[in-house]
Amino acid sequence: MVAPASLRVVRCGGSALHGARAVFSCDSKQVVPGYLLCASGDFVKLYSLATGEPLRLLGGHAGLVTGIQLNPHNHMQLYSSSLDGSIKLWDYVDGIPIKTYTVGSKLLALYALASSEDSVFAIIPKSGERDTFQLVSVKLTKAAGQDLEAKELSVVLDGVDASPKRIAFGREGEYVASVKEVNLQVYFFKQKQLNRFSVSATKTKGGSNHFTCIACHPTEDCIATGHADGKIRLWRNFYHRKEYTFSTLHWHHDTVMDLAFSVEGTNLLSGGVESVLVLWHSESDCQKDFLPRLGSAIEYISMSTDGTLCCTLHTDNRITIINSNLRFSKSIQGLIKSRDVKTGLVVDPRTKALVLNGEPGHLQFYCLQSDQQLFSLDIVQRQYIHQAGLKQVDLVKVAFSAEGKWLATVEEREEVTDPELQLKLWFFDEETQSFKLNTRINMPHEDHITDMCFRDMDELDDDSLMLVTAGRDRVFKVWMMVEDSDPEAQQSVSWSCDFVGSYHNYEATNCCFSEDGSLLAVSFEETVTVWDSVTWDLKCTFCHPPGKIRNICFGRLTCSKYLIGATDYGFLCCWNLLSCALEWSAHLNILILQPDPLSEHIAAVSWLSKESSLFVFKPNDPRPIYIQRNLCKEKIQLAAFVPRDEPEMIGSEKYLWLRKSQLFFLTDTQELLTLSTKSLEERLTPSSKQLAVEESLLVTPFSLLLGKHRRQQSQDNIDLGNLIHNKHEQDSPAVKELLHTPAHVLPSASFLCPIFINSLLISKDNKSAEEVADEVEMESEKTEDDSDEEGDVTEMEQEDASPMKLLGEITYKLSKSQEKELRKIRKMDYSWISAL
């Protein structure tokens, strides 16, 4: 028996893709397909350059990955550094960690040089001093074993900046250059000479000369530095402290965020907040090309080793791959880090994607499986102006109907005296597979909208579809669809207000429908009101002072008679709708109250003493089913249950609440977390790698051997009885690894064969040892051909018998006449089929 796995909090995506400079795996002209590797949270992601799809996730660090570098002596290996104080060496194609070096100090950046055979360079904090950092050489021992210590450190430069963009190594590793504030220092390794240069802190016309990034020419003694005022300086003759020279390039109107030389050194690439990649052909302002409209500020620029590709990493979590002629190739968009997720975490019923604020004024649909954005919907439809302090229209509320046919959005401009509000209703067009604007309502409320929800009833038609909005203007409004009487109207239906409700002139804060849609709960400050959704009669009120109601939700399924509410004074209350009385209450500071749409379970997240805790419970029992203290170090901002495509097999009873849905969290640093019982290896297998074979394809002997697909077989001219071959999918890790690993890096056949054969063996407990021995003796007496044929039959019998055993049924053997007929069929030549 295997002990059930414990529940753990894991980063499932959304991590910044611009945590460190990305790395191209190899020359794109080689036979081996090219990869792009980038740091993302605690992991390193491997993308295909051909398709842009994520291929592999390298996990094993216990902290943020701060640097990745190809092994200069073996380009099929990768070094990665982390804040956990370790350096890992990977076979990145197979995702296998080769060695782990424990340095013992936080690593903020990593550099690997071909001239240094047994060492790498890293930025670490200076011991005993705050906000002071050093560039050190870390000696990597070649001792045997996988976990090694690398405590031998040599200080190269003192007082460097923590940013990896502010250190660069010169021609063939002869020198290293570092910039910090207004100072440039260059250290020559052979001569052990350190030269320092500085620029004035401010200019006469205003602005700042502070250094922001640095790059070294690959073949010449030339250093390029970027500055906060948008200028680029090219330094030469820096071997001499007083005879150095520099020239200036200027196009950027704001900070130069990164620089990179081409492989030959003939061109210089620069990027900044303008979202424009600039290609400088020479040391003149006159010769330059541009690639504009890249979406957001450029954080990093990387070049491939053969110079045919470059990529830019952006602050909005986007990777752009660009050809050498400055032509756009493809884009990889992760979870956009919005300044403030005002919409909350919403699940699209159609795609199961997470929907939340994206680019300013846009709604992003984020795929959890691929950690990529599916698409972005422009809601505000206005040009966003990048200007600090300017009040602009922003998206604040989002709600989907039960089947995802309708989408409601609220946008507002933050004005204290006269707020600007718009409620928009979008209809999903099946032909274009996108949302189209149906109704625009200006000023649906006189003040800001606090909450919004659809009546979630799958069986209702569009005539009964209903939307409720609650606002600070102390009312809630019910919106219904009406047919447009104008024959020239573009839309056949539109939305209008059907009912306005209020309670003692209190501010409406939250609203939600019961599971059957018959009741609507609206909270007015410290009071929860329950309304009949047909007659709009006020049925009852609940109050548990002191404290305003922060969240409310109805119970589901067997707990549908309960209403749950959380107050800002730290109480969680459960009311019985049948008795109109308080069922139970608990003293918890609940920030998030999230019901599971497929079960009775409700997840509540509390925040107390800088610690987030998770409580999972059913409303009919005040005792939690599951408690997780210290859920994560960051404060959890939002949560959402996402229905699974298929129920998951859960080993422990206390985790059964995760069987139908998966719970996701978004922290205040916009890291996306989830709870998982799977092992690390299982979690790191992306869905894009799963091999899917069409059911219509011919069933080959190889697919039969692997047990991937089974089809019903019937031979009318042969009396084989009613033999049913159940479809049985092989879940063996050995088979998956064999199918998913590229052929050129597979281990030898002698190594794979025992693992593969053992994965196919299925024990038969109903046979005694004597029966097994008799079968082996009988098979040894047959001819070679017959033994192969009988082996095939035995394999089919074994695989088909296992599901029958689970049902407690008896398996039947074929008769000798049936086996003979079956062997005749197997000996037939079917090679003519290949010609088709």
Side-chain angles (χ1 to χ4, degrees), residues 33 149 174 182 278 407 468 490 547 652 742 832:
E149 288 192 353
E174 291 188 1
V182 293
V278 185
L407 167 66
V468 174
Q490 295 181 354
S652 177
W832 57 273

Side-chain angles (χ1 to χ4, degrees), residues 174 186-194:
E174 291 188 1
V186 184
Y187 178 75
F188 302 92
F189 288 101
K190 291 183 179 179
Q191 296 84 355
K192 296 183 179 180
Q193 177 185 347
L194 178 63

